Amino acid sequence: MTAVLSVDGLETSFPVGSRRVAVVDGVSFQVAAGEVLALVGESGCGKSVTALSTLRLIPKPGHIDRGTISLNGRNLLELSVGDMRRVRGREAAMIFQEPMTSLNPVQTVGSQVAEAIRLHERTSAGDARRRSIELFDRVRIPDPDVRFDSFPHEMSGGLKQRVMIAMALALHPKLLIADEPTTALDVTIQAQILELLRELQREFDTAILLITHDLGVVNELADRIAVMYAGRIVEEGTREEILTHARHPYTRGLLRSIPSLARRGQRLEEIAGVVPPPRDWPAGCRFCTRCSEVLPRCESELPDARNFSSTHSARCFAIPESAS
Amino acid sequence: MSEALLRVSGLKTWFPIRSGVLQKVTGHVRAVDGVDLAIPTGSTLALVGESGCGKSTVGRTLLRLVEPLAGEIRFDGVDLAALGQRALQPYRRHIQIVFQDPMASLDPRMRVRDIVAEGMHAFGIGANAKERTERVAALLRRVQLDPDQMHRYPHEFSGGQRQRICIARALAVEPRLIICDEATSALDVSIQAQILNLLRDLQEEMGLTYLFITHDLGVVRYLASRVAVMYLGQIVEEGETEQIFNHPRHPYTQGLLAAVPSVDPARRGVVAQVRGDVPSPSNPPAGCRFHTRCPKVMDRCSREEPAPKFKGDAMSRCFLEDSV
């Protein structure tokens, strides 16, 4: 499999007081065609900044300091602003958590999708309208020709997210970045959107970078999982490797702290303390302040990635050599 | 079952819809429309449902933060709905609420010591300021915060720590019932685990009674002894937690449970049994309110409203109950 998206050594920094702190610090990953990579982690781990960096959408004073972001073999960091604009929407699209803030409230939803098509293709208004209605039908918006003329406030959250998905897929991008796409939705609506995303992904063979904190959603959609903590990827593997054979103490703690439907009565496992703010990140392994298996060297040395299979790796000194 | 600390019957809370220049009342949002609930002393009832089902309005009505249109709220035998504001005052101490967003419910200009002591002052707990300060210190220790930090302001704490402050404030007036309205929904999962464990320990220690309002079914199974499922202003099913999770009777409960993603890689593929969106509570469907989305809908469901059917002490509101 060749990678559609390949991110290597990405460093994105923001000013903190008088200095800059890399809130994404040396992140590398790849997503192949037709594959879903989930980037998971808690608030402030840098997963959304990674997603925004990938399409060069980092707001100032944030800045990408280092790394390469190659989409279909082209390094996006070397493109002009105009070329980058042509990449967004056509080659790579993005959907966000809150569809209301991504849609223009004074324009009908249909005209916004049609506009997205006409920005990238020379086509007539009538043709763009026809294609938009087809897309609405494809993402199962009921009465698509009527809904074309609806305003965002006339639609529910689930329908608006369907409009966003229709817009994102309008030009058959190779890469879709979905940042918490179902987090704001109720669970029965989420189930319908998850079904839709799975279907569309199969049909279009899109590479999806899924950003979420919800490991249930990850299990539903992802092929591979990368776990982020304090700006770095600490563990990466296939869905099964991470969800059932996690090796990093952070990943294991995260999984055990979920109050799942299956484990009633048992006390939830806690991860002690809180994620430190970026200015207080330790020099070595950043999880060392909360880790139950911390060793003296963890505080000063950064652990290298250790491989457990061709797809599974973790950055931790405390994982025993022999255990499987 | 022991005697119910709280028994709610026929509770209705409607909000007027006003329109036009004269702000004439043109209809009502029937947020809570005939709700019965009972919570035995020392137990936890979870009130679950999706956005707009009226679950939060139930919580607010119990505290008379909004006024009910009809119904009884019997707390320890006394109907709070019938009391005047002055007569209600002593009961306010017995029922406390913890909200989802601690930042919005803590006064940013008050020090933590004063936030926690405010209620004690109002209800005459503690002889003087010094004694109250000592009690604040003990409460902070109990919720695992450092008492030395009591002179700090809310913004100096993390989200999880702020929620601990809210819990300490609720405990300060020695309540008997605590309403938790999505109290852990805004927290990261590792922090949520800390707060859920704390709430459970406090219940065991102090014999507290909880009404847990949430949309998260994993949390419900972890904490609740009984579950009430709400849809469009009504309770559609109520029963013992394990019974509800293992043998849901109402098609809405079944759909809700089927939609929750699991973190077990062997159990992938949530099913969207419940299609479409929740109808507007200002104009709920005739007959059974769920019939527009029900996968098992029958002819009579759109014409007649099903009455609550009891099996032991478990209730379901569905015509399918007649056929079994």
Side-chain angles (χ1 to χ4, degrees), chain A residues 9-322:
Chain A
L10 178 69
E11 247 184 76
T12 303
S13 68
F14 280 84
V16 175
S18 56
R19 61 197 181 101
R20 296 187 74 85
V21 172
V23 294
V24 171
D25 192 5
V27 163
S28 307
F29 59 86
Q30 302 190 331
V31 198
E35 183 187 52
V36 183
L37 173 72
L39 207 50
V40 305
E42 299 181 282
S43 321
C45 71
K47 57 191 190 299
S48 284
V49 174
T50 303
L52 290 171
S53 300
T54 304
L55 291 187
R56 281 174 55 186
L57 290 170
I58 287 294
K60 281 192 172 124
H63 186 259
I64 300 174
D65 297 336
R66 244 183 292 274
T68 54
I69 298 165
S70 116
L71 180 67
N72 295 317
R74 266 203 303 177
N75 186 357
L76 298 185
L77 296 181
E78 286 164 1
L79 296 186
S80 69
V81 170
D83 284 341
M84 193 57 221
R85 195 173 294 146
R86 278 182 282 278
V87 166
R88 291 186 206 117
R90 172 176 280 288
E91 288 178 54
M94 189 155 178
I95 51 177
F96 296 92
Q97 171 171 349
E98 189 37 79
M100 195 62 210
T101 55
S102 323
L103 288 166
N104 184 342
V106 296
Q107 230 187 324
T108 63
V109 290
S111 67
Q112 296 182 55
V113 177
E115 185 189 347
I117 295 173
R118 296 191 74 197
L119 264 174
H120 291 282
E121 275 180 31
R122 290 168 74 96
T123 182
S124 71
D127 179 61
R129 182 187 172 97
R130 188 188 50 75
R131 278 170 59 186
S132 304
I133 292 174
E134 268 174 30
L135 280 162
F136 278 14
D137 190 43
R138 186 64 205 79
V139 297
R140 286 200 234 100
I141 293 174
D143 308 320
D145 40 348
V146 180
R147 283 304 191 175
F148 183 91
D149 297 312
S150 294
F151 287 94
H153 74 267
E154 298 172 311
M155 298 181 120
S156 67
L159 281 181
K160 275 181 286 205
Q161 198 57 293
R162 286 176 196 267
V163 170
M164 292 309 298
I165 294 172
M167 195 187 297
L169 296 176
L171 295 140
H172 296 227
K174 293 278 178 286
L175 172 71
L176 176 67
I177 299 179
D179 190 354
E180 304 274 7
T182 61
T183 304
L185 306 176
D186 277 316
V187 57
T188 62
I189 311 297
Q190 167 172 285
Q192 298 173 54
I193 298 290
L194 290 176
E195 231 175 60
L196 179 68
L197 284 173
R198 257 199 309 255
E199 230 177 81
L200 293 172
Q201 193 242 352
R202 251 177 254 136
E203 189 178 319
F204 293 102
D205 207 30
T206 318
I208 298 184
L209 177 62
L210 171 71
I211 313 293
T212 183
H213 71 286
D214 185 330
L215 288 160
V217 169
V218 167
N219 186 31
E220 288 294 319
L221 286 181
D223 300 303
R224 287 190 305 119
I225 301 171
V227 182
M228 273 188 91
Y229 185 83
R232 291 183 182 142
I233 291 176
V234 295
E235 185 163 9
E236 189 178 346
T238 64
R239 180 174 60 101
E240 295 204 340
E241 282 168 337
I242 300 294
L243 293 180
T244 47
H245 306 292
R247 305 299 301 268
H248 197 284
Y250 175 62
T251 314
R252 287 187 295 155
L254 204 57
L255 284 162
R256 280 193 293 235
S257 62
I258 301 170
S260 85
L261 296 187
R263 285 191 317 229
R264 175 172 163 72
Q266 291 172 36
R267 196 176 171 80
L268 293 173
E269 204 144 325
E270 302 172 9
I271 301 177
V274 293
V275 185
R279 63 173 187 281
D280 297 337
W281 281 348
C285 170
R286 287 179 182 164
F287 187 56
C288 72
T289 56
R290 302 175 74 195
C291 185
S292 56
E293 294 165 47
V294 64
L295 306 170
R297 64 191 291 208
C298 299
E299 277 150 46
S300 52
E301 288 173 62
L302 175 67
D304 286 329
R306 278 171 54 192
N307 295 315
F308 305 101
S309 77
S310 60
T311 47
H312 190 184
S313 66
R315 284 175 184 275
C316 177
F317 292 122
I319 302 168
E321 287 295 339
S322 55

Side-chain angles (χ1 to χ4, degrees), chain B residues 7-39:
Chain B
R7 189 177 291 279
V8 174
S9 49
L11 190 69
K12 284 188 185 179
T13 309
W14 292 10
F15 297 103
I17 303 170
R18 294 173 195 275
S19 58
V21 195
L22 298 173
Q23 292 291 292
K24 240 176 65 190
V25 176
T26 53
H28 284 94
V29 176
R30 302 180 196 180
V32 179
D33 204 15
V35 160
D36 301 333
L37 289 174
I39 317 179

Side-chain angles (χ1 to χ4, degrees), chain B residues 19-99:
Chain B
S19 58
V21 195
L22 298 173
Q23 292 291 292
K24 240 176 65 190
V25 176
T26 53
H28 284 94
V29 176
R30 302 180 196 180
V32 179
D33 204 15
V35 160
D36 301 333
L37 289 174
I39 317 179
T41 306
S43 74
T44 302
L45 174 74
L47 187 57
V48 305
E50 298 178 281
S51 326
C53 72
K55 57 188 189 298
S56 286
T57 306
V58 169
R60 278 155 212 252
T61 310
L62 296 183
L63 289 161
R64 300 257 314 260
L65 297 177
V66 289
E67 292 295 331
L69 175 78
E72 287 188 349
I73 304 166
R74 290 207 172 270
F75 180 81
D76 220 3
V78 179
D79 183 9
L80 302 186
L83 297 181
Q85 286 299 337
R86 187 181 280 263
L88 186 65
Q89 197 55 29
Y91 289 94
R92 294 211 179 270
R93 172 177 171 183
H94 297 307
I95 311 181
Q96 290 290 308
I97 188 162
V98 178
F99 292 105

